[in-house]
Amino acid sequence: MTHVTEPASRRGDGSQHPEYEAAVAGGALNSEGPGTAHRYRNVILGGIAILLLAMAMLTSYSSAFGNPTPNNVHLAVTGDADAIVALEQHGSLDITVVASERQARTAVLDRVVDGAVVLPAPGEGAAVTTYIASGGGRGLGQAVSGIGDSIAAKLQATNTATDLAPLPAKDPVGSIEFYAILFAGLGAALGATVFGRILGTVDTAAKFVERSVVLVLYAGLLAGLITLWIDSALGAVTVGPWAVMGVLWLTGVAIGGAVTGVAALGGSIAALAMTLALVILGNTSSGGPLGIHVLNDFFQTLYAVFPQGGALDLLRSVQYFDGAAVAAPIIRLAIWAVAGVLLTLTAMLIRNRRDAAARSMHGLHPERGSRQAAAPSGADTELTAVTHGSTSLPSVPGR
């Protein structure tokens, strides 16, 4: 008796989604697919994951920006010695004593300090002069101005606040540069992840060069579009647009390069985790439109870890401080870019050594390859299933 075993696709013993192959095998994305085998379990797990992500973002952003309070504010002071001694007792301030009012102004403009206070000698008509820099963070500028008011009240004097780096009229809150950095980083991270899925694993020198060129060109295009929008549409660029574009380009290359390196070493899941960390913690630890020294100690610590803080400082230095104090943020962004390159090269080295070891093992045991070559194919297996257990039939002469 002949037993015929049909392939599963020909049996017709179960209903299949009409576009199953396209949905599962990376085909056209115009179908949601047949769903998963454990539908309700996966719905619960997926829902919990999304809820946790939403709550993580809410917790991070509200904790960072919800209640700005002066914390480690760098302040230059000059004037009455007794008043300076009393001011040094303030726990939230990092005091730098300078010799003159001119030096205090210079320290603010050079971004050595967040603000400056000139303290008068006690007496009739005493006046406190406070120098702020809203371009370094509007919330920080308001905090320094408030410190000057508090000092003046204790000295029974008046306070005059002078903004040495004012924000433009079309960006009075100072939020546009923060959003520019936010979306330059987010766009670069997502682009690096998508390019990894499209171009494949970086496992050769040619692919490394290809990915690098694509990432640099994409980051440049992204930076150009963001600059065009905030300059032409919003009027928030106070210097030459090429300088702003250069900052955003460097930001995109640094973040995109780092995500590329993480993806090369840990795959798309690792790249996604890196992107989420950048969005949830990196953006908030930059200080946003408020400034870093009105955040709590936790976010001030993360400020030194993630690249967005350095990128935002660099953009503010270019926009409002004539390029003062740009070396440190450039170095921070360069470290992220170089780290991405090193991670990618490390992943290439590990992968190539693994492949070489596999080839060496194959050379030491060639019989394995012979057995694999001699193994029956799927068609041979079906033919065996057809003929197994059957009896030889006599030939039938032609009719």
PDB file of all heavy atoms in Angstrom, residues 330-343:
ATOM      1  N   ILE A 330      32.170  69.840  22.557  1.00  0.00           N
ATOM      2  CA  ILE A 330      32.639  69.198  21.319  1.00  0.00           C
ATOM      3  C   ILE A 330      33.362  67.901  21.649  1.00  0.00           C
ATOM      4  O   ILE A 330      33.177  66.872  20.981  1.00  0.00           O
ATOM      5  CB  ILE A 330      33.553  70.156  20.527  1.00  0.00           C
ATOM      6  CG1 ILE A 330      32.723  71.283  19.902  1.00  0.00           C
ATOM      7  CG2 ILE A 330      34.310  69.402  19.441  1.00  0.00           C
ATOM      8  CD1 ILE A 330      33.550  72.320  19.169  1.00  0.00           C
ATOM      9  N   ILE A 331      34.182  67.930  22.683  1.00  0.00           N
ATOM     10  CA  ILE A 331      34.901  66.715  23.094  1.00  0.00           C
ATOM     11  C   ILE A 331      33.916  65.635  23.526  1.00  0.00           C
ATOM     12  O   ILE A 331      34.078  64.450  23.195  1.00  0.00           O
ATOM     13  CB  ILE A 331      35.892  67.046  24.225  1.00  0.00           C
ATOM     14  CG1 ILE A 331      37.034  67.912  23.686  1.00  0.00           C
ATOM     15  CG2 ILE A 331      36.444  65.772  24.856  1.00  0.00           C
ATOM     16  CD1 ILE A 331      37.970  68.426  24.756  1.00  0.00           C
ATOM     17  N   ARG A 332      32.876  66.022  24.271  1.00  0.00           N
ATOM     18  CA  ARG A 332      31.881  65.038  24.716  1.00  0.00           C
ATOM     19  C   ARG A 332      31.184  64.375  23.528  1.00  0.00           C
ATOM     20  O   ARG A 332      31.004  63.143  23.497  1.00  0.00           O
ATOM     21  CB  ARG A 332      30.853  65.711  25.621  1.00  0.00           C
ATOM     22  CG  ARG A 332      31.382  66.059  26.996  1.00  0.00           C
ATOM     23  CD  ARG A 332      30.358  66.808  27.804  1.00  0.00           C
ATOM     24  NE  ARG A 332      29.111  66.038  27.980  1.00  0.00           N
ATOM     25  CZ  ARG A 332      28.026  66.526  28.550  1.00  0.00           C
ATOM     26  NH1 ARG A 332      28.017  67.773  28.988  1.00  0.00           N
ATOM     27  NH2 ARG A 332      26.961  65.770  28.689  1.00  0.00           N
ATOM     28  N   LEU A 333      30.791  65.168  22.541  1.00  0.00           N
ATOM     29  CA  LEU A 333      30.125  64.596  21.367  1.00  0.00           C
ATOM     30  C   LEU A 333      31.097  63.742  20.559  1.00  0.00           C
ATOM     31  O   LEU A 333      30.713  62.684  20.025  1.00  0.00           O
ATOM     32  CB  LEU A 333      29.551  65.720  20.501  1.00  0.00           C
ATOM     33  CG  LEU A 333      28.390  66.502  21.118  1.00  0.00           C
ATOM     34  CD1 LEU A 333      27.980  67.663  20.221  1.00  0.00           C
ATOM     35  CD2 LEU A 333      27.190  65.593  21.366  1.00  0.00           C
ATOM     36  N   ALA A 334      32.341  64.172  20.475  1.00  0.00           N
ATOM     37  CA  ALA A 334      33.338  63.377  19.747  1.00  0.00           C
ATOM     38  C   ALA A 334      33.559  62.032  20.425  1.00  0.00           C
ATOM     39  O   ALA A 334      33.747  61.004  19.748  1.00  0.00           O
ATOM     40  CB  ALA A 334      34.650  64.154  19.658  1.00  0.00           C
ATOM     41  N   ILE A 335      33.538  62.011  21.749  1.00  0.00           N
ATOM     42  CA  ILE A 335      33.695  60.741  22.475  1.00  0.00           C
ATOM     43  C   ILE A 335      32.571  59.786  22.113  1.00  0.00           C
ATOM     44  O   ILE A 335      32.806  58.579  21.900  1.00  0.00           O
ATOM     45  CB  ILE A 335      33.735  61.006  23.993  1.00  0.00           C
ATOM     46  CG1 ILE A 335      35.048  61.684  24.374  1.00  0.00           C
ATOM     47  CG2 ILE A 335      33.555  59.710  24.774  1.00  0.00           C
ATOM     48  CD1 ILE A 335      35.123  62.127  25.816  1.00  0.00           C
ATOM     49  N   TRP A 336      31.343  60.277  22.028  1.00  0.00           N
ATOM     50  CA  TRP A 336      30.218  59.413  21.647  1.00  0.00           C
ATOM     51  C   TRP A 336      30.387  58.888  20.229  1.00  0.00           C
ATOM     52  O   TRP A 336      30.124  57.706  19.965  1.00  0.00           O
ATOM     53  CB  TRP A 336      28.907  60.182  21.790  1.00  0.00           C
ATOM     54  CG  TRP A 336      28.349  60.085  23.166  1.00  0.00           C
ATOM     55  CD1 TRP A 336      28.785  60.735  24.285  1.00  0.00           C
ATOM     56  CD2 TRP A 336      27.259  59.261  23.588  1.00  0.00           C
ATOM     57  NE1 TRP A 336      28.036  60.365  25.374  1.00  0.00           N
ATOM     58  CE2 TRP A 336      27.089  59.474  24.981  1.00  0.00           C
ATOM     59  CE3 TRP A 336      26.410  58.380  22.942  1.00  0.00           C
ATOM     60  CZ2 TRP A 336      26.103  58.821  25.722  1.00  0.00           C
ATOM     61  CZ3 TRP A 336      25.424  57.728  23.671  1.00  0.00           C
ATOM     62  CH2 TRP A 336      25.283  57.947  25.043  1.00  0.00           C
ATOM     63  N   ALA A 337      30.828  59.745  19.311  1.00  0.00           N
ATOM     64  CA  ALA A 337      31.015  59.310  17.927  1.00  0.00           C
ATOM     65  C   ALA A 337      32.128  58.257  17.837  1.00  0.00           C
ATOM     66  O   ALA A 337      31.973  57.221  17.175  1.00  0.00           O
ATOM     67  CB  ALA A 337      31.341  60.513  17.038  1.00  0.00           C
ATOM     68  N   VAL A 338      33.239  58.500  18.518  1.00  0.00           N
ATOM     69  CA  VAL A 338      34.349  57.544  18.489  1.00  0.00           C
ATOM     70  C   VAL A 338      33.951  56.239  19.167  1.00  0.00           C
ATOM     71  O   VAL A 338      34.330  55.152  18.708  1.00  0.00           O
ATOM     72  CB  VAL A 338      35.586  58.171  19.163  1.00  0.00           C
ATOM     73  CG1 VAL A 338      36.691  57.131  19.342  1.00  0.00           C
ATOM     74  CG2 VAL A 338      36.108  59.340  18.343  1.00  0.00           C
ATOM     75  N   ALA A 339      33.176  56.327  20.251  1.00  0.00           N
ATOM     76  CA  ALA A 339      32.710  55.105  20.913  1.00  0.00           C
ATOM     77  C   ALA A 339      31.874  54.262  19.958  1.00  0.00           C
ATOM     78  O   ALA A 339      31.976  53.026  19.941  1.00  0.00           O
ATOM     79  CB  ALA A 339      31.896  55.460  22.155  1.00  0.00           C
ATOM     80  N   GLY A 340      31.037  54.920  19.148  1.00  0.00           N
ATOM     81  CA  GLY A 340      30.251  54.187  18.161  1.00  0.00           C
ATOM     82  C   GLY A 340      31.126  53.474  17.150  1.00  0.00           C
ATOM     83  O   GLY A 340      30.877  52.309  16.786  1.00  0.00           O
ATOM     84  N   VAL A 341      32.168  54.156  16.681  1.00  0.00           N
ATOM     85  CA  VAL A 341      33.097  53.533  15.728  1.00  0.00           C
ATOM     86  C   VAL A 341      33.793  52.330  16.366  1.00  0.00           C
ATOM     87  O   VAL A 341      33.899  51.254  15.759  1.00  0.00           O
ATOM     88  CB  VAL A 341      34.135  54.568  15.251  1.00  0.00           C
ATOM     89  CG1 VAL A 341      35.240  53.888  14.432  1.00  0.00           C
ATOM     90  CG2 VAL A 341      33.467  55.659  14.418  1.00  0.00           C
ATOM     91  N   LEU A 342      34.273  52.492  17.600  1.00  0.00           N
ATOM     92  CA  LEU A 342      34.985  51.400  18.266  1.00  0.00           C
ATOM     93  C   LEU A 342      34.071  50.203  18.518  1.00  0.00           C
ATOM     94  O   LEU A 342      34.487  49.045  18.367  1.00  0.00           O
ATOM     95  CB  LEU A 342      35.578  51.902  19.583  1.00  0.00           C
ATOM     96  CG  LEU A 342      36.691  52.948  19.464  1.00  0.00           C
ATOM     97  CD1 LEU A 342      37.158  53.401  20.836  1.00  0.00           C
ATOM     98  CD2 LEU A 342      37.861  52.397  18.653  1.00  0.00           C
ATOM     99  N   LEU A 343      32.814  50.474  18.910  1.00  0.00           N
ATOM    100  CA  LEU A 343      31.872  49.363  19.120  1.00  0.00           C
ATOM    101  C   LEU A 343      31.610  48.618  17.817  1.00  0.00           C
ATOM    102  O   LEU A 343      31.541  47.385  17.795  1.00  0.00           O
ATOM    103  CB  LEU A 343      30.562  49.901  19.699  1.00  0.00           C
ATOM    104  CG  LEU A 343      30.585  50.345  21.161  1.00  0.00           C
ATOM    105  CD1 LEU A 343      29.253  50.969  21.548  1.00  0.00           C
ATOM    106  CD2 LEU A 343      30.899  49.170  22.087  1.00  0.00           C
TER     107      LEU A 343
END
